[in-house]
Structure formats: C-alpha cells, structure tokens
Amino acid sequence: MINKNTIGGLLLLLFSLGYGLMALQLDSGGGLAAGGFSPRTLPLILAVAGMVLSLLLMFSAPGPAPAEQLANFKWRPALLLCGMMLVYAAIFPYLGFVLATIVFLIGAMLVLGIRSPKVLLLAALPITAGFWLILNQLLGIYLAPGALFL
Amino acid sequence: MWEGIESGLATAFTASNLAVVVIGCFAGTIIGMLPGLGPISAIALMIPITYGLDPAAAMILMAGVYYGAIFGGSTSSILINAPGVAGTVATTFDGYPLARRGQAGKALAIAAYASFTGGTVAALLLIFAAPALASVSLSFQSADYFALMFLGLIAVCAFAGKGYVLKSLLMTVFGLMLATVGTDPTAGVPRFTFGQIDLIDGISFLLLAMACFAISEALMTILKDEDSAQMAASAAKGTMGSLLLKKREVKEIAPAVGRSSVLGFFVGVLPGAGGTIASFLAWGMEKGLARGRDREAFGKGSLRGLAAPETANNAASTGSFVPLLTLGIPGSGTTAVMLGALLSFGIQPGPRLYIEEPAVFWSVIISMYVGNIVLLILNLPLIPYIARLLAVRKEILVPMILFFSLIGVYLVSFNVFDLWLMVLVGVVAIGLRLLDLPLAPMILGFILGDILEDNLRRALIISNGSPDFLWARPSTLFIMAIAALIALVPLLGRWRTGRTVQAGEGG
C-alpha cells in the first residue's frame, strides 16, 4: 500500500540516483586527487548512502496514508502565496523595492481573503516605508531603483 | 580563563550589547510565541540583521533571540495550549490546566523563574565545562574532527525519536548532498551547478534556513488553516491572575528545579539530544519521584510538573552551546543555524575560538545569563500586553513573515536568483514536511558538509588514502566508539520495547 514512507523513500531514491549519476560525470580532479580523495569521492559515498537509506525507508514499517491528511488542507491560498512570491521575484528588478513590496504585500493579503482597502493599505504602506527608511537612511544600504525608472 | 571572562564581561556589558540582548529577548519572545515559529525560525529571521553588527554583538543578539523564543514558546503553550516547538510540549501538560483554572499569571511566573534558574545553573556549569572541553580538544587533528562531525550527525539521528531515526539519517545525507553544490574548494571543480553562475558559490545557508523554516512554517499555517490569534486574544483578555508565588509553592518547586537544571544541562551537552528530550525526561523524573496526591496532580496543573520541563528545557538550551562553542559541532537545529551564521562571519567555533576570540566566546556565555535576567524582569511583566499584540490576524502576519524572509535573503546577496531558489526550496521543504521527513537533520548535514569533507580529505591525505585514520589515534577511536554506542541507542530502545511487549503477552 502507498504510504508516506514509500513516497518519501521513492522520491529520495530517485534524487540519490540522479545525484550519483551526475557525481560520476564530475571531474576527478586529476593530480589533485591526493590520498585517493577527489571532488567526486564524497558525492559518490553520499549517493550510495542515500540510495541504501531510501530503499530501507521504502520497505520499513508503513507510515500513515497521505490522503487522509492532505484532503483537509487549504491548497489554493498556499499555492497562490507561492505564486505571489514568484511574482515578487519577477517584478523586483523592474519595479524596485518599494513598489514591488507594496504589490507583494497587498497581493498576498488579498489572496488570504482581506478585502478592506483600509486594512490592505494600512498594513502594506507603513511596513514598506518603514523598512525602506531603515535600510536607506539608518543602515545606509543602497537599494537600486527598478529598471523601469532608470 | 579569568582574563577571558573579564574581556567577555567588558564586551557583554557595553550599552550597545545590553540593548542588543534586550531587543533580542523581546523580538525572540514575540516570534517564539507566534504559532508555528520556533527558535530556529526566530534566529533565521534575525540573521540578515546580524550582518550589520560585529560578531560578538551578532552572537549576543542570536543568544537573546534564542532565549526569548523559548520563553515565547512556553507562553503560547501555557496560554493557548499551542507549543510553538517540540521543546515546550511538556510545558502544556501542567501549564495549560493551570491557565484554565485562572492561574495563567502564576504559571507564566513559574515558567520564567524555572527558566531563569535552569539557565543560571547551566550557565555556571558552562563556564567550567566549556574551557575544559576546549583545552582537551586543542590536541585534535583532522581525523578527530571528522569523527566528531560523524558523532554529531549520528547522535542527532539516534535521538530523533521513534520512527524518525532512519528518516533523520536520510535527511542528514540529503543535507550533505546539498552542501556539495558549488565549487569544490581544493580542486576548484564546479559540482552540481547545472552551468548556473549563481550556484558557483553553493547554496546560501541563510536561504536554506529561511526557506525550510520561516517560509515553509508560514505556508504550513495557511495549509492547515491554523488560527490561534483569536485564542491568544481571548487568553490575553482573560484573567492572568497573580504573578506572585507563595512561600509554600516556592518550597514545592525548588527541589524539582534544582534536579531538572543539572539533568537538562547534561542532556543538552549531548549532541542531538536537546531541550525536547530534556523536558520530557525532567517531567517524567519528577512524576516518578512524586508520591500520593502530588503524583495525581501531574498533568492536571501540578506546579512541579510545570517547573521541571521549563527548567530542563532552558538548561539544555544552554548546554547545547558547549559542543557548539568548544568543538564547533552543533547539537541541535538551532545551534546549527547559529553555527552557519558564525561561519558566515568568518568565525570557526571550536577550541581555537576560546583562544583566538575570547571576547566572542565569553560574551556569548555571559549574554546568555543577561538574557535570562532580561526575560525575568522585562518580559514577564509585559507578557499580557505582548499576548495582545499577537492577536494580529494570520492573513496579515503570514505575508509579513514571507516578506521578511525574502528580503532578508535578498539583502545578503542582492541577487534575485536567490528569491526564485528560495521559493523552490520552500515548496520542497513543505513536501518533505508533509512526508514526515525532518528538516533539522538536513540543515545540520548541510552546515557540517563542507567541514566534514575538508577534514575527511585531510585525514585521508595524511593516512595515504587508508581508512585506518579512523582508529589510528586513541582520541579518534574513542569518539568513533561513542558514535557506535550512540548508534545502538535506537536498537536498544526497540529491543526493550520488544521485551516489554513479550512480557505483557506472557503475563
């Protein structure tokens, strides 16, 4: 029966396999492989250890079935929040710190169900302004303006 | 040693560093109280701020945050039965029933006094234990260090608890794998960088810590739809009761506090054991020692039952600094994050820290003590007000946590690639959590990865590629033997459980 241990073990087994295959293609360091130790020595040891442990986990005592727990989760807002973080990363270089942060904070709060414009602005604007002031004025950290304003 | 203590005192008692402790304790208490955020997240969130400070002040800030977060965790355990971290689960057993009886103030006061005493006793023990261990470890070579790292990693897995030993081992290996991303330090060969120039220096420790703890915990709060803000608000508005203890009550808890302080410290010194095991052991020990009505009161609001885990938890937190400061080996996820921060300052904890940076070494130890005092005289009276602040809705709080995490990482590298990577790591971390795979051993493996590989390489070069470096020196052999013994702990536990079941069936 599929349970958390089989899924976790299988995913980490695949990861270890991929990691091991990539480790085999690593440059062995030529003459620097002193003491039999090259840049791929530890990765290969880890890949083998990862594969053995993943297999052990897959065939160990069964863990709880994942479906029961996952059904009650609120996936939509969590996924939308991840999306908002990606949007933040995407717009940051173009809009700069201040605008990108305001967009992110307001967007994230909207995703979580806050609709009152007063709450949205009162939460996002002071935080952004305060942070900008601390960084620019107090700590002297230069935040480059967005590419759109250059 | 005394000159070191003097220089530590001089560093710790500067006005700026005292302010840093106060701010750290305060910020730690607030963060630690928030649902889902424990000491690791609290420290991770503080790391970007520490880059603007000198190493001593940075460590002092993190030590303050650590203590504050533990105290904050106890507060949410007592007030709303929501332990932020595993270390304060045992606090809920008697703390929450006391709060429900209208004695929240008394419960919080006991938690603070017990934490203070546990921290004080442990800090005194640390003053003597740390230099002793540091002087022994001065003679250590690469092989010993490799063995020590191995011991630390094995211990974290062995003490991970039933059902988590194998998972912890696997996650440690996963963390070690992540540590190999980037340029190999000796041969200069890029490893697992996928041709990305942004990965040449490897994955940033801060990015990994923030994504695994702050971001994934904030997102888990949304996924699970947890909302304790309302409960916190009602708890804060409700009766706190008196903060004062009666003479009889002090007499009742004093022996438990004394015993739990020593027990907690020594459990904390063991790599991997930490506050959770210490608090459960102390609660169990006191229950075992109690007789008659006292014993029946455990789990229903016993003062001893609250004082013991609180004391032990705090003493263990101090104890966990012994392996970190003297051997450079973090004994817990929290101290692993601190080690990462220290390394990014160019400070290598270990026996040489005691000699080369006595001001850092001693000011951290002294600041821990100052942190305890701050918690007692500043935070305790403010708890009812802090709890009210926590009534902020999660719909506002979570975006703020995400923003602080993202911008904290960006401000270190000024590289937008880190933001993309952070979201990816955060999503992977949630997946691992959902699969019940623990993240703390992964962080430990990641942080120790570079040092472990470096020492393994040196040891192998010295021994001409032979594995006999593992037993050639008595000190290496001794450490490896301890590692082997610790590795047997889970097997012993399973054997004992099997015997108990057999005896139960037979009887």
Side-chain angles (χ1 to χ4, degrees), chain B residues 33-44:
Chain B
M33 221 190 268
L34 297 175
L37 294 183
I40 300 185
S41 316
I43 292 172

Side-chain angles (χ1 to χ4, degrees), chain A:
Chain A
M1 190 189 137
I2 293 175
N3 58 61
K4 283 186 179 182
N5 288 354
T6 29
I7 299 172
L10 182 65
L11 289 174
L12 287 167
L13 175 68
L14 291 173
F15 180 85
S16 303
L17 264 170
Y19 178 87
L21 287 173
M22 285 178 72
L24 280 173
Q25 288 161 15
L26 281 175
D27 191 332
S28 60
L32 286 165
F37 200 96
S38 75
R40 67 181 185 188
T41 310
L42 187 67
L44 285 175
I45 297 171
L46 293 174
V48 173
M51 283 186 257
V52 172
L53 291 168
S54 308
L55 282 169
L56 283 173
L57 182 65
M58 282 175 75
F59 297 106
S60 66
E68 300 156 21
Q69 186 192 3
L70 302 187
N72 301 323
F73 280 173
K74 306 278 179 208
W75 290 100
R76 197 168 168 271
L79 287 172
L80 286 172
L81 272 183
C82 290
M84 276 313 300
M85 287 193 278
L86 293 175
V87 168
Y88 188 50
I91 61 175
F92 198 97
Y94 300 101
L95 297 184
F97 170 80
V98 175
L99 279 180
T101 304
I102 292 173
V103 169
F104 169 73
L105 287 176
I106 291 180
M109 285 186 279
L110 278 170
V111 160
L112 295 177
I114 293 185
R115 293 289 177 264
S116 156
K118 195 174 142 195
V119 176
L120 289 170
L121 293 174
L122 275 178
L125 295 183
I127 287 281
T128 312
F131 218 78
W132 184 83
L133 279 173
I134 290 172
L135 293 175
N136 254 348
Q137 307 299 318
L138 206 71
L139 300 173
I141 296 172
Y142 174 70
L143 289 165
L148 287 180
F149 305 103
L150 283 175

Side-chain angles (χ1 to χ4, degrees), chain B residues 74-346:
Chain B
S74 307
T75 308
S76 55
S77 296
I78 291 168
L79 288 181
I80 56 173
N81 202 24
V85 278
T88 54
V89 168
T91 303
T92 60
F93 297 167
D94 289 291
Y96 186 58
L98 274 170
R100 292 198 66 177
R101 288 206 309 240
Q103 292 180 309
K106 185 170 284 181
L108 285 167
I110 289 177
Y113 298 143
S115 299
F116 174 74
T117 317
T120 305
V121 173
L124 287 172
L125 289 169
L126 180 68
I127 286 176
F128 295 102
L133 199 57
S135 60
V136 170
S137 57
L138 267 176
S139 60
F140 281 8
Q141 292 181 1
S142 314
D144 305 314
Y145 275 110
F146 172 76
L148 272 172
M149 313 273 162
F150 185 71
L151 167 68
L153 295 176
I154 288 288
V156 166
C157 301
F159 293 120
K162 204 179 165 196
Y164 282 91
V165 178
L166 184 58
K167 289 176 180 176
S168 298
L169 274 171
L170 188 53
M171 291 309 287
T172 305
V173 171
F174 185 49
L176 287 167
M177 286 176 178
L178 292 180
T180 58
V181 175
T183 309
D184 172 70
T186 319
V189 176
R191 298 187 292 191
F192 313 106
T193 56
F194 303 97
Q196 277 279 345
I197 199 144
D198 299 295
L199 285 173
I200 284 286
D201 288 333
I203 300 169
S204 136
F205 137 78
L206 179 63
L207 185 155
L208 198 69
M210 289 284 223
C212 287
F213 296 103
I215 286 198
S216 81
E217 276 170 16
L219 289 176
M220 283 301 280
T221 312
I222 299 298
L223 267 179
K224 289 183 181 170
D225 203 18
E226 286 168 347
D227 197 359
S228 43
Q230 237 176 345
M231 284 170 76
S234 57
K237 279 177 198 153
T239 35
M240 293 294 284
S242 166
L243 289 168
L244 296 173
L245 294 183
K246 291 180 191 132
K247 210 173 171 184
R248 176 185 56 78
E249 292 166 336
V250 175
K251 263 188 175 174
E252 185 187 337
I253 62 168
V257 167
R259 283 188 291 266
S260 305
S261 300
V262 180
L263 173 86
F265 178 79
F266 286 106
V267 173
V269 170
L270 295 174
T276 310
I277 294 179
S279 59
F280 276 97
L281 276 179
W283 191 83
M285 179 178 78
E286 286 308 317
K287 192 181 176 186
L289 288 172
R291 292 284 167 264
R293 234 185 239 177
D294 276 356
R295 189 176 179 138
E296 282 169 27
F298 271 75
K300 294 169 192 155
S302 157
L303 302 187
R304 264 172 84 175
L306 170 63
E310 271 300 299
T311 312
N313 186 15
N314 220 279
S317 308
T318 308
S320 67
F321 277 82
V322 174
L324 173 71
L325 291 176
T326 59
L327 304 171
I329 293 180
S332 61
T334 318
T335 43
V337 175
M338 281 188 160
L339 173 66
L342 272 176
L343 291 174
S344 58
F345 276 111

